[in-house]
Amino acid sequence: MLFRLYKISNPPAPKSGGVDPQERLNFGCLGAARITPGCIVEPARTHPSVVLYAVAARDAKRAEEFAKEHGFSKSFGGTAAYQDLIDDPEVDVVYNALPNALHFEWTMKALKGGKHVLLEKPATNTAAEAAQIFALAERKNLVVLEAFHSRFHPAIQRVKAIVDSKELGEIKHVSASLTAPTGTAAPKGDIRWNYELGGGSAMDPGCYTVNALRYLTSSNPTAVLSAKAVPYSSRPEHKQVDKILWATLSFGHDITGDIYTNLDEPKYFGVIPRMPKLFVTVQCEKGTVELFNYVVPSYYHYITVSPTGGRRRTEKAYTFKGAEKGEAWWTTYRYQMEAFVDKIQGRTPQTWIEPQDTIDNMKWIEAIYEKDGFGSLPSSKYIHQ
């Protein structure tokens, strides 16, 4: 584990020999977001085809400092920064890490500008917006990927393989949780507490839990049986911003699923931070399989298989057996980067998230919000022409 963690922090230089210069992809990042170093910068260090080309931010100083710190060649700042980056003919790929409410507008503009897009999750505020994005991408023959990085890692895929093998019989129930201690993922004043920017627990950790249930059951829900959300505060601007969410979904055939998310889990005795809840569990007819840390399993995880009346075993999966690509220290983002570049360059990626998968995930997040009474988040006012 220590060796793997060391390699994650100190990755080897990529093997650039044999890479056609025409295959190099210049990445431009919209927003100097906290997630960008992990999602783009670090994976780029070990991918010979990825070039950290530009970053854009409204604050010109912030953009310049971010570019210098992380090795981007160019920065754009000011009110026109995002469009300036898209208009740069040297940019091949746009990474959209802007607040959720801006995903639709700036992904559509990037596609209009002829750029492939790696789009942070959740893709949009509504399923209808996600459908428009992929319709335009298809017309323009461009690649858009919603960045559900955990789906690209061997750990969650191993759990699915165990479930699909029917070793434990048919699925009966699936549950997923994702929480964050107070002030960590969403400190006071964070965009995750802003309704107009697409904030809320169901939109942030919730999108992971819904996706995990849909992935492991290989199906979409048939109904939201129950949903309960707790608003961030009693202030009027937070009445539709959930900090805690519980929901129970039906997947038909007597299969149910539970999700629990909390962006503001209080400290023990007001001082001791709680450990995040990062479990996904599949209960089957003949036993259960559970994955700890399904979100970022590259750092550490374990898979526990518990057959009814049988011997429990623990597995770990950091690489794909027999695969030509992948190292035990590859992060979820590095596996995702490999797939994204493969898709752009016409190769078949090991894993892919299809457009309908993204659209359906947003559809059921909206359905949960409808059930709990919060209602869908506001649609973008941007109109594509």
Side-chain angles (χ1 to χ4, degrees), residues 342-362:
D342 279 348
K343 188 73 170 181
I344 291 173
Q345 295 180 342
R347 297 186 291 270
T348 301
Q350 189 278 333
T351 304
W352 195 246
I353 296 175
E354 297 294 340
Q356 193 60 50
D357 194 336
T358 292
I359 295 167
D360 288 342
N361 214 63
M362 280 312 312

Side-chain angles (χ1 to χ4, degrees), residues 168-293:
L168 301 172
E170 299 295 333
I171 299 173
K172 302 304 293 182
H173 184 77
V174 186
S175 60
S177 59
L178 182 53
T179 66
T182 296
T184 54
K188 186 176 181 180
D190 191 84
I191 59 172
R192 291 168 179 81
W193 304 128
N194 189 316
Y195 174 72
E196 295 299 327
L197 292 179
S201 184
M203 289 289 284
D204 197 277
C207 71
Y208 280 98
T209 59
V210 173
N211 194 275
L213 264 59
R214 293 178 50 255
Y215 176 63
L216 293 173
T217 59
S218 301
S219 63
N220 280 313
T222 56
V224 180
L225 301 179
S226 65
K228 178 183 178 183
V230 176
Y232 176 54
S233 78
S234 59
R235 296 173 63 176
E237 64 267 32
H238 294 143
K239 67 179 181 179
Q240 290 175 276
V241 180
D242 54 311
K243 69 174 181 179
I244 307 172
L245 174 74
W246 299 268
T248 299
L249 309 174
S250 170
F251 288 85
H253 306 289
D254 296 322
I255 301 172
T256 55
D258 287 329
I259 64 171
Y260 169 63
T261 67
N262 191 339
L263 268 175
D264 195 39
E265 201 158 45
K267 298 176 181 179
Y268 288 110
F269 310 110
V271 293
I272 305 173
R274 295 173 184 263
M275 286 294 292
K277 294 180 176 64
L278 302 166
F279 286 97
V280 61
T281 304
V282 185
Q283 298 174 356
C284 301
E285 294 172 313
K286 303 175 184 177
T288 65
V289 55
E290 181 177 75
L291 170 60
F292 167 71
N293 198 7

Side-chain angles (χ1 to χ4, degrees), residues 30 58 82 96-109 119 123-125 129 133 196-198 378 380 382:
L30 297 180
R58 302 288 193 188
Y82 302 156
N96 188 346
L98 298 173
N100 298 335
L102 301 180
H103 284 182
F104 175 71
E105 175 181 354
W106 289 102
T107 298
M108 294 295 279
K109 287 180 177 178
L119 177 58
T124 51
N125 275 4
E129 290 176 345
I133 283 174
E196 295 299 327
L197 292 179
S380 173
Y382 173 73

Side-chain angles (χ1 to χ4, degrees), residues 279-357:
F279 286 97
V280 61
T281 304
V282 185
Q283 298 174 356
C284 301
E285 294 172 313
K286 303 175 184 177
T288 65
V289 55
E290 181 177 75
L291 170 60
F292 167 71
N293 198 7
Y294 68 99
V295 179
V296 282
S298 37
Y299 292 94
Y300 177 76
H301 71 270
Y302 56 83
I303 301 166
T304 305
V305 184
S306 305
T308 302
R311 185 175 181 179
R312 186 174 67 179
R313 71 177 189 269
T314 300
E315 298 185 17
K316 295 176 183 178
Y318 291 100
T319 58
F320 295 106
K321 292 183 179 179
E324 295 181 2
K325 297 180 178 181
E327 301 286 347
W329 50 265
W330 274 21
T331 64
T332 52
Y333 298 109
R334 181 59 180 83
Y335 276 108
Q336 176 180 263
M337 181 72 78
E338 193 73 23
F340 184 55
V341 172
D342 279 348
K343 188 73 170 181
I344 291 173
Q345 295 180 342
R347 297 186 291 270
T348 301
Q350 189 278 333
T351 304
W352 195 246
I353 296 175
E354 297 294 340
Q356 193 60 50
D357 194 336

Side-chain angles (χ1 to χ4, degrees), residues 67-130:
K68 184 176 181 180
E69 178 184 358
H70 297 294
F72 288 88
S73 304
K74 197 171 184 178
S75 68
F76 297 91
T79 56
Y82 302 156
Q83 190 62 55
D84 288 343
L85 183 146
I86 290 170
D87 290 341
D88 188 327
E90 296 300 315
V91 172
D92 301 303
V93 177
V94 167
Y95 171 54
N96 188 346
L98 298 173
N100 298 335
L102 301 180
H103 284 182
F104 175 71
E105 175 181 354
W106 289 102
T107 298
M108 294 295 279
K109 287 180 177 178
L111 292 171
K112 185 178 179 180
K115 317 298 184 184
H116 304 288
V117 181
L118 180 59
L119 177 58
E120 265 309 326
K121 78 214 87 59
T124 51
N125 275 4
T126 69
E129 290 176 345

